[in-house]
Amino acid sequence: MSAIVATLRPYQAVFKARFTLLLQYRAAAFAGFVTQCWWGGIKLMVLAAFFRSVRTTPMTFQQAVDYVWLGQAFLTLLPWSVDPEIARMVRSGDVAYERLRPLDAHAFWYARAIARRTATPLLRAIPMVLTAGLLFHVFGMSEWALSPPAGVQAAALFFLSMVLVILLSSAIATLMDIATVAALSERGVNALVGPLVIVFSGSLVPLPLFPDWLQPALRLQPLAGLLDTPFRIYGGHFAGLDALAALGRQAMWTIVLVLLGRLFMRRVMARLQAQGG
Amino acid sequence: MNGLRLYGRYVSVSWRSQMQYPASFIATSIGAFATTITDFIAIWALFARFRQIEGWRFDEVALLYGVISVSFALADGLTRGFDVFGERFVKTGDFDRLLVRPRSTALQLLGYEFRATRIGRLAQGMLAWGVGVHLSSVDWTWTAWGTLLFAVLGGVALFSGILVLQATLAFWTVESLEIANTLTYGGVEAGQYPLDIYARWFRNFLTFVVPLACISYFPVASVLGRVERTGVTGWLLPITPAFGFVFLGVALWVWGFGVRRYTSTGS
């Protein structure tokens, strides 16, 4: 038992250090919060006009409202970009030191990625959920407000799904970090992955609103597990067996991508090119 | 050397320095294209599902989006100096050096960097514009093209004005505030749809406070023959982009006020 605790300690330490550091940026978080509200508002006004224009829709407007606000609240959970510190390490050649640590390199970076997806997102999500869920009612804007989850079961499954979101998003982020080591620069990785994440996670447009012929493919691809899955569970769009199947897809993609990351990490670290000077 | 020639010199120096790393220039431009094209993908996806937005068609919204994207891409490429004014000039005290040179501060900041990589955003705006023109049934006369060109010029002036105001704020706050992003990027976001779909207060804000309506919605509606949707007298629509220049003029006046009040951070 104590051996396990001792093994886990360094990963726990890097998690804690990153968490505390990221909590320092409160002013940035506030500015981000205001921007997110504004953005969410514009998005909803556009969606409302689209919903007014037709009779039948694949989701109710209330479900779309919930989807958009949750999307704004948990935006920072997405694997947007390579960890800037790892990018710096690659540029300076310091990444070579990662080989000297008596630790599992993938687990170490994965723990960093998880920390990055816990501190800042919490700061962002809580005020957003409170504002959209409570304050909007106070100001008489109930039709634009975030509604509570579709039921107790939906709430529990949503929570579980959000945990999987963090694990899946971090697995993708770690893959991006490793790709940066291989490519010697983070630019290309960010330029390539960022737009894909925006479109296929449901952050850009709720995935149920894409054309019907695209739905089967959208459901199976890994990035749906980043936002779309928990949000559909929240609004009752996925319930019962559908919800469990969606959670299963999320878990499966997480495991596949973590294993893929471990494989890549081993190969990249085996023939590591360090820049320096 | 007159102001215009000096500015030309600034741009050519900036261009040459960016072309020292052609691979980086190409990669960043492609990245900018890929990131910004997602907005157009959103429009496409929503129209594939809903067919129309309160009577407006895909080709019309594509044109609106193209016009506002092209305007913002140009303004964003030209006004880098104002965009980073807080960190690069006020915080470091480097603005003092600009003040002792015998040229206007606005000109020097305009020449600070010409961002060539904005060609990525420009290209996707032109693509959307092209799609809109191709699918529309409008008679593309010289007047129509002239109206849209004037709209782009007014748009560049308006977006530049917003960035000048953001820079002016930095005289007091030292840091550049990203609050202007809600008007620049947020303006592109809101202005890519016909403004009559929004609530009245929001439409009024985008017409009278920040005249975004004047640089895309009004002129484009006039070209598309959708005058009745705007609730404005028809002959007025094509000349409304002039308010973009008025906005820039006011912004530069406020800027001058800020410059006179400037106290250096020292060191």
Side-chain angles (χ1 to χ4, degrees):
Chain A
M1 188 65 200
S2 64
I4 298 176
V5 173
T7 323
L8 285 181
R9 192 167 295 141
Y11 308 108
Q12 192 198 344
V14 71
F15 177 86
K16 229 171 139 184
R18 301 286 308 164
F19 193 90
T20 338
L21 176 75
L22 291 168
L23 274 181
Q24 304 301 316
Y25 297 103
R26 264 164 289 200
F30 180 73
F33 169 69
V34 174
T35 314
Q36 291 316 322
C37 285
W38 177 255
W39 239 255
I42 294 176
K43 259 187 182 174
L44 279 182
M45 288 191 276
V46 170
L47 279 184
F50 272 116
F51 272 78
R52 280 198 297 270
S53 311
V54 290
R55 249 182 232 121
T56 48
T57 49
M59 66 201 302
T60 63
F61 183 61
Q62 183 57 55
Q63 281 174 333
V65 169
D66 293 346
Y67 199 110
V68 167
W69 284 128
L70 291 173
Q72 296 304 99
F74 294 108
L75 199 65
T76 40
L77 280 182
L78 293 173
W80 287 114
S81 58
V82 172
D83 188 334
E85 264 174 54
I86 289 181
R88 208 173 306 134
M89 269 160 38
V90 169
R91 225 173 298 132
S92 66
D94 285 353
V95 66
Y97 295 124
E98 294 296 298
R99 290 211 54 188
L100 302 176
R101 292 187 209 279
L103 296 170
D104 181 297
H106 184 273
F108 195 67
W109 284 13
Y110 192 43
R112 282 177 66 101
I114 295 176
R116 227 182 138 205
R117 269 156 198 81
T118 349
T120 330
L122 269 183
L123 256 180
R124 285 260 166 116
I126 294 169
M128 178 61 86
V129 169
L130 288 180
T131 307
L134 296 176
L135 218 59
F136 278 28
H137 287 293
V138 177
F139 288 113
M141 302 193 291
S142 298
E143 62 198 300
W144 305 99
L146 174 70
S147 62
V152 180
Q153 200 191 29
L157 292 178
F158 169 74
F159 182 77
L160 198 64
S161 183
M162 287 308 294
V163 174
L164 284 171
V165 165
I166 295 176
L167 296 177
L168 175 62
S169 175
S170 305
I172 296 173
T174 310
L175 270 172
M176 291 166 71
D177 294 341
I178 302 166
T180 304
V181 179
L184 295 177
S185 158
E186 79 283 13
R187 283 231 184 108
V189 181
N190 285 344
L192 199 73
V193 181
L196 288 178
V197 167
I198 300 174
V199 176
F200 291 107
S201 66
S203 167
L204 180 72
V205 170
L207 293 188
L209 296 182
F210 273 86
D212 287 328
W213 55 272
L214 269 172
Q215 291 301 327
L218 286 175
R219 201 171 279 211
L220 291 179
Q221 48 92 21
L223 302 181
L226 289 176
L227 289 183
D228 185 66
T229 307
F231 296 177
R232 286 206 211 193
I233 292 175
Y234 185 96
H237 212 256
F238 281 157
L241 279 180
D242 275 351
L244 291 179
L247 284 173
R249 286 196 295 272
Q250 257 187 313
M252 183 206 65
W253 276 119
T254 308
I255 295 168
V256 168
L257 294 177
V258 165
L259 290 178
L260 205 64
R262 300 191 63 81
L263 191 75
F264 274 156
M265 183 67 116
R266 209 169 311 137
R267 290 190 58 179
V268 165
M269 282 296 171
R271 348 173 263 152
L272 180 67
Q273 279 190 47
Q275 317 196 80
Chain B
M1 214 189 300
N2 67 28
L4 206 61
R5 270 188 57 201
L6 179 64
Y7 179 68
R9 181 73 65 86
Y10 276 136
V11 170
S12 100
V13 168
S14 180
W15 173 262
R16 268 180 287 153
S17 83
Q18 287 172 81
M19 287 310 130
Q20 295 300 308
Y21 301 93
S24 163
F25 164 71
I26 292 168
T28 317
S29 303
I30 292 175
F33 179 86
T35 311
T36 49
I37 197 83
T38 57
D39 276 336
F40 192 48
I41 293 175
I43 295 176
W44 167 79
L46 288 169
F47 272 98
R49 161 72 59 192
F50 295 95
R51 301 283 154 212
Q52 45 118 347
I53 183 163
E54 305 210 313
W56 293 86
R57 294 187 314 269
F58 175 65
D59 58 290
E60 298 172 317
V61 173
L63 189 63
L64 263 169
Y65 174 74
V67 168
I68 203 161
S69 287
V70 165
S71 305
F72 181 56
L74 293 172
D76 198 28
L78 296 175
T79 54
R80 173 75 168 166
F82 289 99
D83 197 16
V84 295
F85 184 68
E87 297 93 66
R88 295 277 172 83
F89 291 94
V90 179
K91 211 174 184 179
T92 56
D94 274 357
F95 188 58
D96 301 5
R97 289 168 43 192
L98 263 57
L99 284 172
V100 295
R101 294 183 192 150
R103 292 289 176 175
S104 84
T105 52
L107 178 71
Q108 294 181 58
L109 282 171
L110 211 53
Y112 167 70
E113 191 186 333
F114 164 73
R115 269 194 300 185
T117 56
R118 286 308 184 262
I119 202 159
R121 185 187 277 276
L122 185 69
Q124 68 90 30
M126 287 164 82
L127 178 75
W129 189 325
V131 169
V133 169
H134 178 71
L135 294 177
S136 78
S137 47
V138 168
D139 184 16
W140 287 99
T141 58
W142 286 108
T143 325
W145 282 108
T147 305
L148 292 188
L149 186 69
F150 185 49
V152 166
L153 293 177
V156 172
L158 173 66
F159 284 122
S160 305
I162 294 172
L163 283 155
V164 169
L165 286 181
Q166 173 191 306
T168 310
L169 261 182
F171 284 124
W172 284 272
T173 60
V174 180
E175 294 266 1
S176 279
L177 286 186
E178 278 170 22
I179 201 91
N181 285 357
T182 54
L183 295 181
T184 49
Y185 293 92
V188 174
E189 189 81 17
Q192 59 189 256
Y193 287 98
L195 298 187
D196 52 74
I197 67 163
Y198 296 119
R200 178 157 291 281
W201 67 267
F202 194 56
R203 209 181 333 158
N204 284 341
F205 176 78
L206 295 180
T207 309
F208 299 112
V209 183
V210 185
L212 264 169
C214 301
I215 57 100
S216 65
Y217 175 56
F218 289 157
V220 173
S222 123
V223 168
L224 292 172
R226 294 286 214 136
V227 176
E228 80 291 349
R229 290 296 291 261
T230 62
V232 177
T233 319
W235 63 268
L236 262 173
L237 293 178
I239 55 169
T240 49
F243 283 100
F245 295 98
V246 173
F247 189 88
L248 178 61
V250 172
L252 285 173
W253 178 78
V254 176
W255 166 258
F257 176 72
V259 171
R260 280 193 298 282
R261 266 203 87 269
Y262 168 73
T263 33
S264 178
T265 51
S267 72

